[in-house]
Amino acid sequence: MKRFNDFFRCMSPLVLFMLFFSTTGASAMKSNGPAADGHDSIRISLLTCAPGEEIYSLFGHTAIRYENPSQGIDVVFNYGLFSFNIPNFILRFSLGETDYQLGATDYAHFAAEYAFFGRSVWQQTLNLTEREKAELIRLLQENYRPENRVYRYNFFYDNCATRPRDKIEESIAGKVIYPAKPQGGSRSFRNIVHQYCKGHPWARFGIDLCIGSEADRPITQRQMMFAPFYLMDAFAGAQIENDSIQRPLAEAALLIVDATPETDESGWIFTPLQCALLLFILTVGATIYGIRRRTELWGVDLFLFSAAGIIGCVLAFLALFSEHPAVSSNFLLLVFHPGQLLFLPYIIYCDRKGKKCWYLTLNLIVLTLFIVLFPLIPQRFDLAVVPLALSLLVRSASNLIVTSKKK
C-alpha cells in the first residue's frame, strides 16, 4: 500500500473538508432522527481485499468505507500505509519498530488501485444505529488527525485488520459476540502464515526461519483476526448484544471489485527444499571425496559454516532485540547460531593442519540431537532445515573421521 502515500498527502485537505461536513450531517441526524425519506442514508462497511503478489500484501488487507450520498462522500479509511523510504526501514522493521499510519482516500481511487493489480474487494455493510455510525465517524476523524494517525505496527497483534475491528467495537453501544467456534477449528499463527504463503515457498521459508515456537501455540479466535479474511469470517457470524437484544453485526459480504489476479510469469524456480537437498548431496559427495583422499576440504566448511553463522546472527539478533513477540524462543538457534561464524577461523585452522576440532565434535553432538529429537521439538520447521542441518552434521563428522585415519 506504499503506493498510496503521495496520493494521500494531496488528498488530505479534500478529505478533511468532506469529513467536516459529514460531521455536521451526522450530528443533525443524531438530533433529528432518520432522514426525511425514512431511512438512514449513511453507510459504513468493512472492506476485505484479496492478497497481492508482494510479500507485504500476501495476507490481504482490511479497510473501512464511509458513504454519505447526501453529502457526496465516499471515503475509505486505511490503516495499512507505510513507506520503504523511511530511514533505516529494514533495521526498524527487524526490531519491531515499524510505524504505520491511517490514511483516507476517495473510494473510486481505492477501488481502481485494487482492480489494476488484480485484487478483488468484498464489502460487509455494518448494521449500526445512527448514533453508533456517528460515533465511529468521530473516532476515525479523531484518529486521522496528524498527531494521532501514526501507530506502532505489530504484524500479529496490531495491524491494518485489528485496528478497524477495534474502532468498530469501540463505537458500538453494546457487546460484539463472535461465533463460539471459528471456521476450521483452532489455529496457530504459523498455520495462518502457511495458508497465505501457499505458492510462495521462499517467503514461507524466510518467515519460518524467523518466527519461533511462540508462533506454534494455539491462538484464540480474536487473535486469528490479524488476518483480514479471518476477520471477515468473524464479522459474518457476529452479533451485537445490547440489553439482551441481538442484531447481526454485518450484512453478507458482497463482491464490489471483481478483479482477475495477475498471472505469475516468473516461471519455475527451485524451492528451498530442492536447493537444500541439492546442497546436501553435493556436501556428501565432497565429504566422501575428502575422506578417501584423507584431506579436509576447508573451502566447503568455509562456505557452509559462514552461511550458517550469518543466519544465526540474524536469528539471535531478532530473539534478543526485536519487539516482535513471535521471534523469541527459536529452536533453530541450535542449528544456525553465531558460534558457527565465531569459531570459523578455528575450524579452518584445524582443517588445514589436520587437527581434531573440539568445536566440530560438540557441533556434531548438538546437530545429532536436533535431528533425532526433531519430531519432539515444540516448533514447526520448514523441511528444508533437515538437509541443511544434515550438511553441517556431515562436515562436523568429517573432521573426526579424517583426523582419526591420520592417526
Side-chain angles (χ1 to χ4, degrees):
M1 300 308 297
K2 64 183 187 301
R3 301 182 186 87
F4 285 152
N5 282 355
D6 294 335
F7 174 74
F8 282 128
R9 294 191 185 99
C10 299
M11 288 291 292
S12 292
L14 174 60
V15 171
L16 289 174
F17 177 77
M18 295 166 66
L19 292 177
F20 171 78
F21 284 102
S22 74
T23 305
T24 305
S27 300
M29 186 168 52
K30 184 168 62 175
S31 301
N32 301 326
D37 58 3
H39 67 275
D40 181 5
S41 63
I42 291 179
R43 181 167 67 171
I44 303 181
S45 309
L46 186 78
L47 301 183
T48 304
C49 310
E53 289 300 314
E54 299 87 353
I55 189 170
Y56 60 82
S57 64
L58 289 179
F59 297 83
H61 185 52
T62 297
I64 296 177
R65 182 182 182 184
Y66 164 46
E67 301 171 82
N68 188 340
S70 64
Q71 298 291 338
I73 297 173
D74 195 351
V75 176
V76 175
F77 289 90
N78 172 15
Y79 280 93
L81 299 185
F82 71 97
S83 174
F84 285 122
N85 296 323
I86 296 175
N88 303 315
F89 177 85
I90 299 298
L91 176 62
R92 288 173 61 85
F93 184 84
S94 300
L95 290 171
E97 298 177 355
T98 311
D99 289 331
Y100 275 46
Q101 69 177 23
L102 170 65
T105 186
D106 179 73
Y107 168 76
H109 290 88
F110 181 89
E113 171 84 6
Y114 278 88
F116 179 79
F117 287 102
R119 300 174 63 184
S120 298
V121 180
W122 288 263
Q123 175 173 291
Q124 291 169 290
T125 301
L126 301 177
N127 186 25
L128 305 180
T129 65
E130 297 175 23
R131 188 179 298 273
E132 289 168 342
K133 292 177 183 179
E135 175 63 11
L136 180 53
I137 295 167
R138 186 194 68 78
L139 290 172
L140 291 171
Q141 285 179 283
E142 180 67 22
N143 210 175
Y144 188 62
R145 292 179 180 275
E147 65 271 22
N148 298 332
R149 66 180 61 166
V150 177
Y151 70 99
R152 180 55 50 86
Y153 175 85
N154 185 291
F155 180 70
F156 289 134
Y157 294 102
D158 194 355
N159 64 13
C160 66
T162 61
R163 285 262 163 168
R165 176 202 62 192
D166 294 346
K167 291 301 175 184
I168 292 169
E169 291 178 345
E170 190 177 345
S171 69
I172 291 173
K175 182 180 180 181
V176 179
I177 301 175
Y178 295 100
K181 292 184 178 180
Q183 295 185 14
S186 181
R187 292 281 191 278
S188 68
F189 285 126
R190 197 185 304 272
N191 290 146
I192 297 176
V193 167
H194 286 182
Q195 179 182 349
Y196 286 96
C197 286
K198 187 177 181 180
H200 297 82
W202 285 101
R204 169 175 165 167
F205 176 70
I207 295 173
D208 272 344
L209 280 180
C210 295
I211 59 178
S213 58
E214 294 289 329
D216 292 298
R217 295 181 178 180
I219 58 177
T220 65
Q221 184 194 31
R222 187 170 187 81
Q223 290 173 315
M224 295 180 196
M225 296 180 200
F226 85 93
F229 280 89
Y230 279 81
L231 178 65
M232 184 176 78
D233 290 341
F235 268 43
Q239 296 283 323
I240 299 173
E241 184 177 70
N242 189 0
D243 296 330
S244 300
I245 300 175
Q246 290 191 354
R247 68 182 191 273
L249 172 60
E251 297 178 6
L254 296 176
L255 181 62
I256 58 173
V257 176
D258 189 1
T260 303
E262 294 179 312
T263 56
D264 185 5
E265 299 179 354
S266 58
W268 181 81
I269 59 173
F270 281 100
T271 66
L273 180 58
Q274 290 169 337
C275 290
L277 287 172
L278 178 61
L279 178 63
F280 174 65
I281 293 171
L282 293 175
T283 301
V284 170
T287 301
I288 292 174
Y289 172 82
I291 291 174
R292 287 180 175 177
R293 293 297 184 94
R294 297 186 179 183
T295 180
E296 286 285 359
L297 303 175
W298 64 268
V300 176
D301 289 342
L302 177 65
F303 171 75
L304 286 178
F305 287 99
S306 61
I310 292 172
I311 296 173
C313 288
V314 174
L315 298 185
F317 174 81
L318 292 175
L320 293 173
F321 302 109
S322 178
E323 294 180 14
H324 289 297
V327 297
S328 59
S329 304
N330 194 336
F331 285 90
L332 279 177
L333 284 168
L334 294 171
V335 179
F336 309 106
H337 54 84
Q340 308 282 33
L341 193 61
L342 181 64
F343 289 97
L344 184 59
Y346 178 64
I347 295 173
I348 301 303
Y349 168 78
C350 291
D351 281 350
R352 301 193 69 175
K353 296 295 183 179
K355 294 183 177 182
K356 184 177 180 179
C357 180
W358 66 264
Y359 174 78
L360 289 179
T361 302
L362 177 62
N363 206 36
L364 175 62
I365 296 171
V366 173
L367 290 171
T368 300
L369 290 174
F370 178 84
I371 297 297
V372 172
L373 300 177
F374 184 83
L376 303 178
I377 297 175
Q379 179 177 333
R380 289 182 61 187
F381 305 103
D382 192 291
L383 286 178
V385 168
V386 176
L388 293 177
L390 286 172
S391 297
L392 295 171
L393 185 149
V394 166
R395 291 308 303 162
S396 298
S398 172
N399 174 264
L400 294 178
I401 296 172
V402 171
T403 53
S404 64
K405 282 189 174 184
K406 285 184 178 181
K407 292 180 181 180

